[in-house]
C-alpha cells in the first residue's frame, strides 16, 4: 500500500484514464507527468472547442425543453450568487469554479448527441486546465458576469445565432486573456 493508501492497480487505472484524456503523458523510463501546455496548443484547443461547443449549444436550443430552461435559470442563479474569490487569497473560490462549470455544462446539456457532448467535455476540461493554471496571472478587464448573462439570455430566447456568437466570443476572449499572460505559460516548459 502506498502513502495515500491507494492500490497500485487503482493508481495505474487513474493514470491510464488521465493519459487517455490528455491531462497526463507517459514518459518512457521516467513515469508520468502533467501534459505540457503552450500558447500554440491553447489557441488550437480554443478553435476546436468553440466549433464543438457552439454545435452542442445550437442543438440544445433546438431540443431543450422547459426543464432544461429551469436548470439554466438555476445555474445562472448559483453563478450570480457565488463569490469570485476567497477574501485575502489568490485565485478563484472553489465554489465559483464549480458554479462556472455547471453554468456552461447546463447550457449544452440538452444536446441530443452523446458523442458531441463527450467531445465537448474533453475540450472543456482541457480549456479549464489552462484557465485555472493561469487565472491568477491573467490580465482580465472584461465583465465576465455580463458575458454569461448575455449568453443565457440569448439561449433562453432561443436565438441560436446570437447565443452561439456570444459563446464563441466568450471562449475566444478568455483564451486571448490567457495568451496575454504568456510568461507563466512559457516559463513552465
Amino acid at each position: 500500500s502506498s502513502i495515500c493508501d491507494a492500490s497500485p492497480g487503482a493508481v495505474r487505472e487513474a493514470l491510464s484514464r488521465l493519459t487517455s484524456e490528455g491531462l497526463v503523458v507517459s514518459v518512457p523510463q521516467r513515469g508520468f507527468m502533467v501534459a505540457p501546455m503552450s500558447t500554440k496548443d491553447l489557441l488550437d484547443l480554443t478553435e476546436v472547442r468553440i466549433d464543438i461547443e457552439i454545435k452542442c449549444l445550437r442543438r440544445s436550443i433546438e431540443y431543450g425543453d422547459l426543464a432544461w430552461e429551469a436548470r439554466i435559470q438555476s445555474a445562472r442563479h448559483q453563478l450570480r450568487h457565488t463569490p469570485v474569490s476567497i477574501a485575502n487569497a489568490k485565485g478563484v473560490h472553489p465554489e465559483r469554479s464549480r458554479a462556472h462549470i455547471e453554468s456552461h455544462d447546463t447550457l449544452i446539456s440538452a444536446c441530443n448527441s452523446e458523442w458531441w457532448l463527450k467531445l465537448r467535455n474533453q475540450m472543456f476540461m482541457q480549456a479549464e486546465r489552462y484557465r485555472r493554471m493561469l487565472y491568477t496571472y491573467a490580465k482580465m478587464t472584461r465583465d465576465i458576469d455580463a458575458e454569461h448573462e448575455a449568453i443565457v439570455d440569448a439561449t433562453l430566447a432561443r436565438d441560436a445565432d446570437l447565443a452561439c456568437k456570444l459563446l464563441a466570443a466568450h471562449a475566444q476572449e478568455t483564451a486571448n486573456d490567457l495568451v496575454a499572460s504568456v510568461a507563466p505559460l512559457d516559463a513552465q516548459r
Side-chain angles (χ1 to χ4, degrees):
S1 178
S2 71
I3 295 172
C4 295
D5 234 8
S7 74
V11 172
R12 276 192 299 276
E13 175 63 28
L15 287 169
S16 175
R17 184 169 182 190
L18 291 170
T19 300
S20 72
E21 293 174 5
L23 299 171
V24 170
V25 293
S26 175
V27 181
Q29 308 296 318
R30 298 193 64 206
F32 294 88
M33 63 181 270
V34 174
M37 300 169 83
S38 70
T39 300
K40 181 181 178 210
D41 182 62
L42 172 60
L43 295 174
D44 186 33
L45 167 66
T46 300
E47 183 180 345
V48 174
R49 175 190 165 206
I50 288 170
D51 287 348
I52 292 170
E53 192 132 357
I54 63 174
K55 176 94 170 174
C56 291
L57 180 58
R58 191 171 293 282
R59 290 174 78 117
S60 288
I61 290 169
E62 182 178 348
Y63 296 107
D65 58 11
L66 190 59
W68 169 71
E69 291 181 8
R71 289 191 308 273
I72 290 172
Q73 291 285 24
S74 176
R76 171 194 284 201
H77 183 77
Q78 288 291 324
L79 190 60
R80 275 183 185 162
H81 298 287
T82 304
V84 173
S85 60
I86 302 170
N88 301 322
K90 272 189 154 186
V92 177
H93 194 290
E95 287 301 309
R96 176 65 177 210
S97 252
R98 186 204 52 75
H100 176 257
I101 291 169
E102 180 67 23
S103 175
H104 278 272
D105 286 351
T106 303
L107 285 171
I108 55 90
S109 66
C111 175
N112 66 345
S113 168
E114 288 301 313
W115 280 107
W116 278 113
L117 289 171
K118 285 178 187 178
L119 290 170
R120 180 268 175 191
N121 289 340
Q122 184 177 11
M123 297 298 105
F124 189 85
M125 289 313 294
Q126 289 290 340
E128 272 297 290
R129 186 169 78 108
Y130 279 96
R131 192 181 72 80
R132 286 181 185 201
M133 183 187 134
L134 296 174
Y135 184 82
T136 56
Y137 303 104
K139 299 163 181 69
M140 291 190 262
T141 57
R142 301 162 27 221
D143 186 347
I144 295 172
D145 288 335
E147 291 176 24
H148 286 125
E149 289 290 325
I151 294 165
V152 167
D153 288 344
T155 299
L156 292 174
R158 304 293 178 131
D159 187 339
D161 291 338
L162 179 59
C164 289
K165 177 182 172 185
L166 292 169
L167 183 60
H170 174 69
Q172 187 62 60
E173 285 301 312
T174 298
N176 293 346
D177 286 343
L178 297 177
V179 168
S181 310
V182 75
L185 182 58
D186 291 340
Q188 67 128 357
R189 288 186 196 182

